[in-house]
Amino acid sequence: MLTPETRIFVAGHRGMVGSAVCRALAARGCRNLITRTRRELDLMDPSAVDAFFAAEKPEVVIHCAARVGGIHANRTYPVEFMRENIGVSFSVIDAAHKHGTQRLLYLGSSCIYPREAPQPLREASLLTSPLEPTNEAYALAKITALKYCQYLRNQYGVLFHSAMPTNLYGPGDNYHPENSHVIPGLLRRFHEAKTAGAETVILWGTGTVRREFLHVDDLAAGILALIGAENPPDIVNIGSGKDLTIRALADIVADVVGFKGEILQNPEMPDGTPRKCLDISRIRSLGWTPTISLEEGLRQTYADFVNISPTSATPATVQTGPGQSRARG
Ligand SMILES: NC(=O)c1ccc[n+]([C@@H]2O[C@H](COP(=O)([O-])OP(=O)(O)OC[C@H]3O[C@@H](n4cnc5c(N)ncnc54)[C@H](OP(=O)(O)O)[C@@H]3O)[C@@H](O)[C@H]2O)c1
């Protein structure tokens, strides 16, 4: 159970998830939050991570550090996605175990489930059939780390367990034109098209694949519910439990942004997994439920995007050629 004095290390605290977790912990009155930037502590460096744990001795670790990206980035850089995600996971998990951390929550992803697993995706579907090829390297790295947590828990009795978030969005997202996930990618494209007065936006893929989205503040609340649970399952999904087509999502984003032009699809571009929606009965049974509707969350996120990314409105960056919307990896 968390108290205001618990020493908590949030790895990756400057990322979208890590910063939401820090906001949620601060709102809970946690006074002993430990954070390090990548420059202060490279989590790919096991000896530096070991020395950090020896000195700080965190009681709880929430592991939000990772290399993250959409389909394009996952397909282009599988080596980096595998190497870095295994690297940052094992350095932190091993040091936590060695230096007496009582509890560690590892952040996996819904990408760990097989491409053809029955929907909605249940935790029991893990490792039952082949993965989606476009993000296999990332998924294998995540599976390796979550199984490692499970083995440590079974073999040594430490409470190391994992959460599997669905596609996330919210403040602090990555709006990179090529490496972003679907929602920040769409927000950026529609914003740029509106600013440039473009008449059309062309989206990647057929638009018919279905995805689920969760606001990152809802995820942070789910993470705290899991950290507070006495005997949580090894793997727990966290999602909204509702999915929609990418085209329906694009229509909502266009409305939120105020883009009045036409939305076209480029079906030549890859779609990714046909449907991805999580079964969230496990996390619901711990008393958590999502509270932020997609439309409300998108309006809030767009306001954040406009505030923090004034340069993204520069007309010179507008692309009205082949669409860049992509389902996340
Ligand atoms: N975003 C999603 O839709 C989504 C969905 C499902 C699961 N997840 C999982 O949730 C977790 C957090 O994702 P996110 O969206 O918050 O990602 P993010 O915004 O890219 O944040 C990742 C953080 O990890 C840090 N990091 C990466 N490598 C590091 C290293 N070698 N040393 C120190 N810090 C390092 C990054 O530091 P810098 O700031 O220096 O780069 C960044 O702060 C990940 O495990 C991800 O797989 C995310």
Side-chain angles (χ1 to χ4, degrees), residues 238-303:
I238 309 185
S240 62
K242 293 181 197 157
D243 60 357
L244 76 172
T245 65
I246 291 294
R247 180 49 190 259
L249 172 71
D251 288 339
I252 301 173
V253 174
D255 182 53
V256 164
V257 170
F259 172 73
K260 305 280 183 229
E262 196 179 357
I263 304 172
L264 304 173
Q265 303 288 152
N266 178 359
E268 304 290 305
M269 301 310 284
D271 268 335
T273 308
R275 186 181 175 213
K276 236 166 67 174
C277 187
L278 294 177
D279 177 308
I280 54 169
S281 28
R282 275 192 189 171
I283 184 81
R284 277 191 191 280
S285 72
L286 296 172
W288 173 89
T289 194
T291 59
I292 304 171
S293 73
L294 184 58
E295 182 147 324
E296 177 195 348
L298 286 173
R299 290 197 186 283
Q300 185 217 81
T301 305
Y302 180 53

Side-chain angles (χ1 to χ4, degrees):
M1 196 48 107
L2 292 184
T3 74
E5 309 311 325
T6 308
R7 294 176 59 71
I8 308 175
F9 173 45
V10 179
H13 73 288
R14 294 219 286 204
M16 177 170 65
V17 173
S19 49
V21 168
C22 289
R23 287 195 296 277
L25 287 168
R28 281 274 186 98
C30 289
R31 289 196 283 268
N32 276 328
L33 202 52
I34 306 165
T35 58
R36 291 290 184 278
T37 63
R38 187 195 292 250
R39 188 185 280 188
E40 291 163 342
L41 178 65
D42 181 358
L43 300 174
M44 288 291 284
D45 179 347
S47 11
V49 175
D50 187 78
F52 162 76
F53 270 81
E56 293 292 341
K57 297 229 179 311
E59 297 161 89
V60 172
V61 171
I62 304 179
H63 194 334
C64 310
R67 183 179 181 119
V68 178
I71 286 181
H72 175 74
N74 269 275
R75 289 199 324 168
T76 314
Y77 305 109
V79 171
E80 286 77 10
F81 272 83
M82 175 166 271
R83 202 174 166 278
E84 290 178 32
N85 284 310
I86 287 183
V88 298
S89 303
F90 275 74
S91 61
V92 171
I93 297 168
D94 274 340
H97 179 224
K98 180 173 165 192
H99 295 287
T101 294
Q102 296 150 18
R103 187 151 195 164
L104 180 145
L105 182 72
Y106 177 69
L107 269 279
S109 161
S110 55
C111 294
I112 61 155
Y113 294 116
R115 178 184 161 90
E116 306 294 346
Q119 303 281 335
L121 293 160
R122 294 178 56 239
E123 291 87 347
S125 288
L126 180 65
L127 293 174
T128 51
S129 58
L131 296 164
E132 158 65 34
T134 47
N135 52 37
E136 186 185 81
Y138 174 76
L140 285 172
K142 293 265 160 199
I143 292 169
T144 304
L146 73 88
K147 290 302 275 184
Y148 193 51
C149 288
Q150 188 178 16
Y151 300 146
L152 285 166
R153 184 175 180 178
N154 289 343
Q155 196 172 326
Y156 295 104
V158 288
L159 198 34
F160 289 11
H161 55 120
S162 305
M164 297 309 125
T166 190
N167 304 302
L168 304 169
Y169 71 98
D173 212 338
N174 165 16
Y175 294 97
H176 188 279
E178 284 176 358
N179 295 334
S180 59
H181 289 152
V182 62
I183 285 187
L186 287 175
L187 282 169
R188 182 188 173 113
R189 282 184 56 87
F190 282 119
H191 178 81
E192 290 179 347
K194 181 182 84 167
T195 309
E199 287 174 10
T200 58
V201 165
I202 304 171
L203 304 182
W204 270 24
T206 60
T208 57
V209 296
R210 301 183 70 86
R211 291 289 181 275
E212 173 195 26
F213 298 94
L214 184 73
H215 192 282
V216 72
D217 288 338
D218 270 338
L219 172 70
I223 286 172
L224 295 203
L226 271 180
I227 284 286
E230 210 167 294
N231 189 23
D234 288 322
I235 305 174
V236 176
N237 291 340
I238 309 185
S240 62
K242 293 181 197 157
D243 60 357
L244 76 172
T245 65
I246 291 294
R247 180 49 190 259
L249 172 71
D251 288 339
I252 301 173
V253 174
D255 182 53
V256 164
V257 170
F259 172 73
K260 305 280 183 229
E262 196 179 357
I263 304 172
L264 304 173
Q265 303 288 152
N266 178 359
E268 304 290 305
M269 301 310 284
D271 268 335
T273 308
R275 186 181 175 213
K276 236 166 67 174
C277 187
L278 294 177
D279 177 308
I280 54 169
S281 28
R282 275 192 189 171
I283 184 81
R284 277 191 191 280
S285 72
L286 296 172
W288 173 89
T289 194
T291 59
I292 304 171
S293 73
L294 184 58
E295 182 147 324
E296 177 195 348
L298 286 173
R299 290 197 186 283
Q300 185 217 81
T301 305
Y302 180 53
D304 176 69
F305 168 76
V306 172
N307 281 339
I308 62 158
S309 310
T311 52
S312 62
T314 307
T317 64
V318 169
Q319 303 185 27
T320 50
Q324 291 179 326
S325 166
R326 60 188 67 83
R328 64 175 301 284

